[in-house]
C-alpha cells in the first residue's frame, strides 16, 4: 500500500452511483471517473486517495485486512459479516430494511409459536439464524446468492429473510412482510490500525463526509 495515499474501498453496482454523488459532495468530484473505467483500482493524486472498486459484500474484507484504510458499505453487509472493523459514520443512503417475509396469507403468529419446521431462504444466513435463535424458533436456513423472493413460490422455503426498499420485489412475488429485523443504511468503516495510526489523515475525510451527509458545504 502506498502509505501517502488514503485507500477507500467503494462498492460496485447499485451502490456506486450514490457513493460517487456523496464523494462529489465531499469535494472529491474527480471520483466520478471511477464509473467510466473498467479499472478496479484508481489513484486520484489530487485527492491524495486510492480507490478500490469491490463487490459490496467484499468491502469489509479489504478494510479488515488493511488493504484499504476505509470503506463504504451497507449495514446489512456488516450485520452479516461481523468483520473486525470500526464503524465510523452513518451515511444515510442505501436505506432499506431487513424483513422476514412470507406468502400473502401467512399467519404471522406461526412465526412466533415455534411449532412446525420452518425453512427460510436468505442471502444473509447469520442474520436469519440470529433472528430465529433469539425467538427460540427452530429454522432451517437455506443460503441463496440472490433472487431470494423466488424460494417460497417454488417450494424451496416457507419464508425469506431479505432486504426490502420499496417493497416492490416482495409484492410482485406474492410476499408480505411478517416482521422487520433491522434498518440498514450505508456506513463508513475503518481498518482498526489505520484509524489509530493514520488518524490525522483520516479525520478531514470523515469531516468532509459528515458535512456532505448533513448538507453542509464541503471545504
Ligand atoms: N433495494 C435496495 N434498496 C436500497 N439499498 C439496497 C437495495 N438492495 C441492496 N441495497 C444495498 O446495496 C448493497 C448492494 O446491493 P446489491 O444487491 O446491488 O449488490 P450485490 O451485487 O448483490 O452485492 P454482492 O455481489 O456483494 O452480494 C446492499 O448490501 C445494500 O446495502
Ligand atoms: O424493495 P425493493 O425496492 O423491490 O428492493 C428489494 C430487492 O433489491 C435487492 O435485490 P437486487 O435487485 O439487488 O437483486 P438480488 O436479489 O439478486 O440481490 C433485494 O435483495 C430485494 O430483492
Amino acid at each position: 500500500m502506498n502509505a501517502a495515499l488514503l485507500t477507500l474501498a467503494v462498492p460496485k453496482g447499485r451502490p456506486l452511483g450514490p457513493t460517487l454523488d456523496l464523494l462529489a459532495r465531499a469535494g472529491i468530484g474527480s471520483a466520478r471517473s471511477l464509473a467510466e473505467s473498467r479499472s478496479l483500482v484508481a489513484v486520484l493524486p489530487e485527492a491524495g486517495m486510492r480507490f478500490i472498486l469491490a463487490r459490496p459484500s467484499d468491502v469489509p474484507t479489504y478494510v479488515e485486512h488493511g488493504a484499504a484504510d476505509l470503506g463504504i458499505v451497507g449495514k446489512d453487509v456488516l450485520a452479516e459479516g461481523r468483520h473486525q472493523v470500526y464503524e465510523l459514520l452513518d451515511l444515510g443512503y442505501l436505506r432499506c430494511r431487513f424483513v422476514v417475509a412470507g406468502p400473502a396469507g401467512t399467519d404471522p403468529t406461526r412465526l412466533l409459536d415455534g411449532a412446525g419446521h420452518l425453512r427460510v431462504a436468505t442471502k444473509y444466513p447469520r442474520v436469519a439464524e440470529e433472528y430465529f435463535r433469539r425467538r427460540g424458533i427452530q429454522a432451517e436456513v437455506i443460503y441463496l446468492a440472490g433472487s431470494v423472493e423466488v424460494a417460497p413460490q417454488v417450494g424451496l422455503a416457507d419464508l425469506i429473510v431479505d432486504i426490502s426498499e420499496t417493497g416492490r420485489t416482495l409484492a410482485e412475488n406474492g410476499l408480505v412482510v411478517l416482521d422487520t429485523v433491522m434498518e440498514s443504511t450505508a456506513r463508513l468503516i475503518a481498518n482498526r490500525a489505520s484509524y489509530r495510526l493514520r488518524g490525522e489523515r483520516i479525520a478531514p475525510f470523515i469531516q468532509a463526509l459528515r458535512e456532505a451527509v448533513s448538507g453542509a458545504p464541503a471545504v
Side-chain angles (χ1 to χ4, degrees):
M1 192 195 297
N2 183 334
L5 296 170
L6 199 59
T7 300
L8 175 70
V10 296
K12 294 200 302 177
R14 180 202 301 262
L16 184 60
T19 299
L20 297 181
D21 290 345
L22 175 74
L23 291 171
R25 291 201 304 281
I28 313 172
S30 55
R32 290 203 192 280
S33 61
L34 298 177
E36 289 147 21
S37 160
R38 294 293 294 168
S39 174
L40 299 173
V41 181
V43 174
L44 298 179
E46 67 282 7
M49 293 189 72
R50 184 170 72 149
F51 294 85
I52 298 172
L53 265 72
R55 287 279 294 267
S57 51
D58 289 338
V59 165
T61 305
Y62 288 97
V63 175
E64 180 175 30
H65 292 275
D69 300 296
L70 299 165
I72 292 177
V73 66
K75 180 69 180 177
D76 56 314
V77 172
L78 297 174
E80 178 63 21
R82 298 170 210 182
H83 295 82
Q84 300 296 306
V85 296
Y86 290 139
E87 196 181 307
L88 301 180
L89 209 54
D90 185 342
L91 300 170
Y93 67 103
L94 294 182
R95 187 170 292 281
C96 54
R97 58 185 178 137
F98 271 116
V99 297
V100 181
T106 303
D107 177 3
T109 56
R110 187 181 159 208
L111 258 183
L112 301 170
D113 68 13
H117 180 71
L118 271 184
R119 293 165 308 152
V120 182
T122 186
K123 188 177 166 180
Y124 301 90
R126 292 174 82 171
V127 170
E129 270 158 18
E130 184 166 330
Y131 174 89
F132 289 102
R133 187 180 50 73
R134 280 199 179 164
R135 284 158 185 76
I137 299 168
Q138 281 225 323
E140 178 191 354
V141 173
I142 300 167
Y143 172 77
L144 289 175
S147 299
V148 170
E149 293 85 354
V150 172
Q153 299 179 61
V154 297
L156 177 64
D158 305 299
L159 303 176
I160 66 165
V161 171
D162 197 14
I163 51 179
S164 176
E165 182 197 12
T166 62
R168 192 174 159 197
T169 311
L170 292 176
E172 293 192 10
N173 288 282
L175 300 170
V176 294
V177 173
L178 302 173
D179 198 5
T180 296
V181 181
M182 63 178 281
E183 305 287 331
S184 176
T185 47
R187 306 296 161 102
L188 177 69
I189 58 171
N191 172 267
R192 290 178 171 197
S194 293
Y195 186 73
R196 283 197 301 273
L197 301 173
R198 310 196 68 195
E200 282 183 23
R201 178 72 182 79
I202 289 172
F205 180 71
I206 297 174
Q207 185 57 21
L209 280 188
R210 189 175 279 127
E211 287 170 8
V213 168
S214 69
V219 261

